[in-house]
Amino acid sequence: MHLAQNPNTDTASNRWLNIGIFAVFVLVTLVIVFRASRNTKTASDYYAAGRSFSGPQNGIAISGDYLSAASFLGIAGAIAVYGYDGFLYSIGFLVAWLVALLLVAELLRNTGRYTMADVLSFRMRERPVRTAASLSTLAVTFFYLLAQMAGAGGLIALLLGVTDKGQQAIVIAVVGVLMIVYVLVGGMKGTTWVQIIKAALLIAGTFVMTVWVLGLYGFNLSGLLGSAVDTAGANGEKLLNPGAQYGKTEASRLDFVSLGLALVLGTAGLPHVLMRFYTVPTAKEARRSVVWAIWLIGLFYLFTLVLGYGAGAMVGPDVIKEAPGGVNSAAPLLALQLGGPWLLGFISAVAFATILAVVAGLTITASASFAHDIYANVIKNGQVDDKQQEVKVARITAVVIGVVSILGGIAANGQNVAFLVALAFAVAASANLPTLLYSLFWKRFNTTGALWSIYGGLAVTIVLIIFSPAVTGDEEAMFPSLDIALFPLKNPGLVSIPISFLLGYLGTVLSKEPHNAEKYAEMEVRSLTGAGAEKSTAQH
């Protein structure tokens, strides 16, 4: 069952089939987005889809927002090439949702209105905290967005056989324009439906491939693992044991712990994930949506185990590493081997849909953060007479963010973008999560502590990344010819997250600013019971 043909030739020869399937997806979703736009009139409609989605619908959308191209292509590839170590990514991403469910989801939904800054500024001095939270949100979304857009260029090379940088730049621009249209026209409602459709396609596609692979091995997982070991040859046994990717040196072991910490804690601080909790009408539905998301994401990551080892067994690690896109080519090459050009075309469309859905969610989060937090509550000091004006600013911001992300994606095309995703998670875990947890659970926490935690976490994370092997001093670095890698770890989470918690604590205890006990009591009651949340929603 080993793949004998040249995968690049097959991919290139079927590019028009892949483009056709993708075009059908785009047309269907555009129709849905335009239909959704009929009801997008108020700020609540644009930012939170009028809080009209049920828990299950929002749970499917959350899984669509969370399962990015890195999850689909990257993890399956990591399992195919590295085995056990690759599957640990799946475990980390899944465990991260338990943190979001237990610590954040319901409390956030009860306390805020549209953005993370609503929660952080609830009992603090509003303008400085909103500004800090908005800047942190924009930093996380920009790095995440840049990685997705630049990843689009790599996907084009892999799935459509387009190797010319100019043609890849055109495709990145097309993805960016589609993203802007989804957000401008449909707002959160249109974006949510795109994410629901994408999640359904992704889970259905991976389910079919998983059953297909298992069927070829008599539904015997041991037989599949044994075949993967045999295909890998001399290094096959390493696929079933830890240490193939990490563990060779002390630094790589620490790096793995650091990455795991950033992934597990970062999810509960990702602004585009947190914003999804506001699209449901009640706290109960917020809880249901996270439970649905956990089930769907958990199923998906179980599928990646089979797909990864299936690609290792049927395609082979050497063929995968030599294909355009390298490790990321495992799932598409497995699709080509299983179902030929049609299944590859479907998987190609799903990969494109994945990028579109994630970048649309990121863009609406960033535009909402600027319009609601910076424009409405900092520049206008909460005195926005016409709510349509706030939505208009959000739409203008979405266009600006779209253009910047297109230019950034083209500039970063072909570069190592893994550190951008790691930076997004590390910033979310370092700047956002400590401040959120302190705000929700520490009575004494004040504005100074919040500012120290956000700005300090943001600055420390970015500085450590700049001086890490992810940027310079390594063969896989973004700038391999330079060497200013003074910090030994590729992901700063192990250092930056504790520092951010410490800065939040020190800023609070060293400042003479009194905390607002009444506001904390009100926030505690609202976050735990939801009392007063609906009144706040109606006012805003």
Side-chain angles (χ1 to χ4, degrees), residues 98-380:
L98 298 178
V99 179
L101 174 63
L102 295 172
L103 296 179
V104 173
E106 183 181 352
L107 305 180
L108 197 80
R109 166 64 187 75
N110 288 341
T111 311
R113 295 187 289 273
Y114 303 131
T115 66
M116 180 182 71
D118 286 335
V119 179
L120 299 183
S121 63
F122 190 92
R123 61 190 182 96
M124 313 289 176
R125 291 202 316 275
E126 191 163 352
R127 295 178 79 174
V129 172
R130 276 194 185 277
T131 303
S134 185
L135 288 174
S136 173
T137 296
L138 290 171
V140 175
T141 51
F142 176 72
F143 288 119
Y144 215 113
L145 201 53
L146 196 59
Q148 294 293 324
M149 297 295 285
L155 275 173
I156 303 315
L158 167 66
L159 300 172
L160 302 182
V162 177
T163 53
D164 179 70
K165 289 286 183 184
Q167 292 177 333
Q168 288 180 21
I170 292 170
V171 177
I172 289 173
V174 169
V175 171
V177 170
L178 282 171
M179 163 189 81
I180 293 168
V181 170
Y182 284 152
V183 174
L184 280 186
V185 176
M188 180 57 93
K189 189 169 285 186
T191 301
T192 300
W193 279 114
V194 171
Q195 288 163 344
I196 288 172
I197 294 166
K198 169 253 166 156
L201 282 174
L202 180 63
I203 291 169
T206 50
F207 172 74
V208 168
M209 287 176 65
T210 299
V211 173
W212 200 329
V213 169
L214 285 175
L216 291 174
Y217 289 91
F219 294 95
N220 184 342
L221 188 60
S222 295
L224 172 61
L225 298 179
S227 180
V229 169
D230 293 340
T231 305
N235 296 321
E237 286 298 327
K238 291 183 180 178
L239 293 177
L240 303 181
N241 299 304
Q245 186 176 9
Y246 298 96
K248 294 173 185 173
T249 64
E250 198 63 40
S252 70
R253 291 190 193 100
L254 280 175
D255 221 346
F256 187 69
V257 173
S258 189
L259 176 66
L261 199 62
L263 294 181
V264 169
L265 297 180
T267 299
L270 286 175
H272 66 291
V273 171
L274 297 178
M275 194 170 169
R276 291 233 53 90
F277 297 132
Y278 298 125
T279 64
V280 290
T282 63
K284 180 184 177 184
E285 292 300 306
R287 276 199 310 277
R288 286 182 71 202
S289 64
V290 180
V291 172
W292 268 78
I294 288 174
W295 274 105
L296 292 171
I297 292 166
L299 271 175
F300 173 81
Y301 285 133
L302 284 176
F303 295 160
T304 61
L305 177 67
V306 176
L307 297 184
Y309 278 112
M314 299 175 67
V315 181
D318 294 336
V319 176
I320 291 168
K321 284 189 275 191
E322 289 167 10
V327 172
N328 290 332
S329 63
L333 291 181
L334 178 62
L336 180 64
Q337 176 73 349
L338 288 172
W342 282 98
L343 187 57
L344 175 63
F346 177 75
I347 294 302
S348 303
V350 168
F352 282 123
T354 297
I355 288 181
L356 272 177
V358 173
V359 295
L362 288 165
T363 304
I364 198 164
T365 300
S367 64
S369 180
F370 181 84
H372 180 64
D373 297 323
I374 300 291
Y375 173 76
N377 287 289
V378 175
I379 296 174
K380 292 288 188 179

